[in-house]
């Protein structure tokens, strides 16, 4: 029987948070994640992981307090179910998903939901895997993002109306982010440095309250990017992606 542990106030200081594992060196992203998570635990947020130094975990929260522009009553929202490559096909994902489902039923929840897309994207939990447990697409956005849900009582959650707008007035490169993911801190710093060095106007908006998260103008799982007022992606970005996007946009502009 595999041994798992849940992060709680009593162990969060000493336990790793799975995504980035550090034993000695202080990592700003991990510290930011732990601070964010500590504030969420009292709201019913769950991070359950294999009791080993590896990336095997599930993270979910009551939908009412989940920092996503999704609305519904009495649901859990899965932020992430991640099994790193060398740990796949060992049954960990099934065990973690079953735990979440059993936890939801034990607590009288109406179901569980998660973010997906018409085409599987990186940084997303495996949608095909979730569908094996009965998750179905219950809502979509114009940009191809989907809300998947496993309903126990026939009720379904949905994206907020604001999430389906997918446009903003700001024309500069605009990134919405929170500190839930430990990779975000470094990504933000690298993008800031690139934009400063290349005179690229950048608008960074930290989503630091539940109200802001629930009223975002697009799908969101801790990150979202707009350019020229249009929603582009919820994928965490690299400098190479930003550079490619700007090069393509400039090429289109010069050829028009």
């Amino acid at each position: 029987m595999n041994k798992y542990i849940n992060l709680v106030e009593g162990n969060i200081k000493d336990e790793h948070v799975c995504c980035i594992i550090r034993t000695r060196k202080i990592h700003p992203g991990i510290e930011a994640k732990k601070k964010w998570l500590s504030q969420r635990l009292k709201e019913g947020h769950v991070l359950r992981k294999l009791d080993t130094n590896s990336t095997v975990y599930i993270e979910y929260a009551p939908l009412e307090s989940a920092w996503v522009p999704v609305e519904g009553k009495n649901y859990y929202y899965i932020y992430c179910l991640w099994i790193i490559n060398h740990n796949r096909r060992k049954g960990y994902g099934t065990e973690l998903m079953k735990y979440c489902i059993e936890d939801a039923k034990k607590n009288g929840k109406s179901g569980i939901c998660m973010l997906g897309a018409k085409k599987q994207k990186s940084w997303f939990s495996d949608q095909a895997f979730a569908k094996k447990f009965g998750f179905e697409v219950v809502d979509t956005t114009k940009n191809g993002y989907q809300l998947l849900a496993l309903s126990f009582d026939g009720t379904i959650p949905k994206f907020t109306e604001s999430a389906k707008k997918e446009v903003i007035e700001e024309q500069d490169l605009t990134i919405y982010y929170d500190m839930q993911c430990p990779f975000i801190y470094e990504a933000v710093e690298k993008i800031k440095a690139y934009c400063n060095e290349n005179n690229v106007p950048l608008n960074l908006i930290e989503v630091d309250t539940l109200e802001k998260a629930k009223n975002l103008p697009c799908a969101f799982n801790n990150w979202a990017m707009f350019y020229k007022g249009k929603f582009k992606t919820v994928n965490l970005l690299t400098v190479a992606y930003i550079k490619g996007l700007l090069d393509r946009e400039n090429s289109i502009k010069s050829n028009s």
Side-chain angles (χ1 to χ4, degrees):
M1 184 71 176
N2 294 311
K3 183 181 178 183
Y4 297 89
I5 59 174
N6 288 14
L7 292 191
V8 296
E9 282 296 339
N11 65 16
I12 192 171
K13 181 179 178 181
D14 299 318
E15 290 290 339
H16 68 79
V17 292
C18 283
C19 311
I20 301 175
I21 297 171
R22 295 284 186 275
T23 55
R24 300 177 184 174
K25 208 173 173 184
I26 292 177
H27 188 287
I30 293 175
E31 296 306 306
K33 162 76 174 186
K34 286 190 173 184
K35 180 180 178 182
W36 186 92
L37 183 57
S38 291
Q39 296 169 342
R40 307 280 79 75
L41 290 175
K42 56 181 173 285
E43 300 168 356
H45 192 111
V46 174
L47 194 157
R48 182 172 178 81
K49 69 188 185 73
L50 190 66
D51 190 15
T52 185
N53 277 357
S54 191
T55 304
V56 178
Y57 75 103
I58 189 169
E59 188 170 3
Y60 60 91
L63 180 56
E64 291 87 347
S65 58
W67 286 31
V68 290
V70 177
E71 58 188 4
K73 292 184 178 179
N74 206 33
Y75 262 72
Y76 275 150
Y77 177 86
I78 297 177
Y79 286 106
C80 191
L81 172 58
W82 189 8
I83 315 298
I84 204 165
N85 290 340
H86 66 270
N87 277 321
R88 291 179 181 172
R89 298 183 178 85
K90 296 181 180 179
Y92 298 141
T94 296
E95 290 176 345
L96 288 169
M97 182 64 88
K98 284 183 176 179
Y99 176 88
C100 179
I101 293 172
E102 290 168 5
D103 189 31
K105 290 181 176 179
K106 180 181 71 175
N107 286 296
K109 297 297 180 183
S110 295
I112 305 166
C113 59
M114 60 183 277
L115 184 63
K118 288 184 179 179
K119 183 178 179 181
Q120 178 70 42
K121 296 178 179 292
S122 58
W123 299 96
F124 275 16
S125 299
D126 189 333
Q127 297 155 215
F129 176 75
K131 288 177 180 178
K132 292 178 181 178
F133 291 86
F135 282 77
E136 299 177 338
V137 176
V138 295
D139 203 0
T140 60
T141 73
K142 291 181 293 184
N143 216 25
Y145 289 94
Q146 300 176 330
L147 184 64
L148 283 70
L150 171 62
S151 178
F152 303 146
D153 62 6
T155 64
I156 56 172
K158 62 181 180 179
F159 288 114
T160 62
E161 286 304 310
S162 65
K164 294 186 176 184
K165 290 180 180 178
E166 299 184 333
V167 293
I168 58 175
E169 292 184 6
E170 179 65 56
Q171 296 296 297
D172 294 336
L173 178 64
T174 299
I175 296 173
Y176 294 89
Y177 70 96
D178 65 27
M179 283 299 174
Q180 183 196 355
C181 172
F183 289 100
I184 288 175
Y185 183 92
E186 186 175 24
V188 167
E189 293 304 307
K190 287 183 176 180
I191 290 170
K192 280 167 62 176
Y194 173 80
C195 290
N196 286 336
E197 291 168 6
N198 294 275
N199 297 314
V200 176
L202 174 64
N203 186 28
L204 289 171
I205 303 174
E206 183 173 0
V207 179
D208 53 7
T209 67
L210 176 63
E211 183 180 9
K212 286 182 181 178
K214 289 297 186 187
N215 288 286
L216 284 164
C218 59
F220 182 82
N221 206 45
N222 58 46
W223 184 275
M225 189 201 78
F226 285 78
Y227 189 60
K228 301 293 185 185
K230 296 180 180 179
F231 176 50
K232 296 296 182 181
T233 183
V234 300
N235 279 16
L236 191 64
L237 304 178
T238 63
V239 167
Y241 182 99
I242 296 290
K243 184 177 183 302
L245 171 70
L246 297 176
D247 287 346
R248 288 192 298 274
E249 292 288 342
N250 290 334
S251 176
I252 292 171
K253 184 177 179 180
S254 62
N255 291 328
S256 61

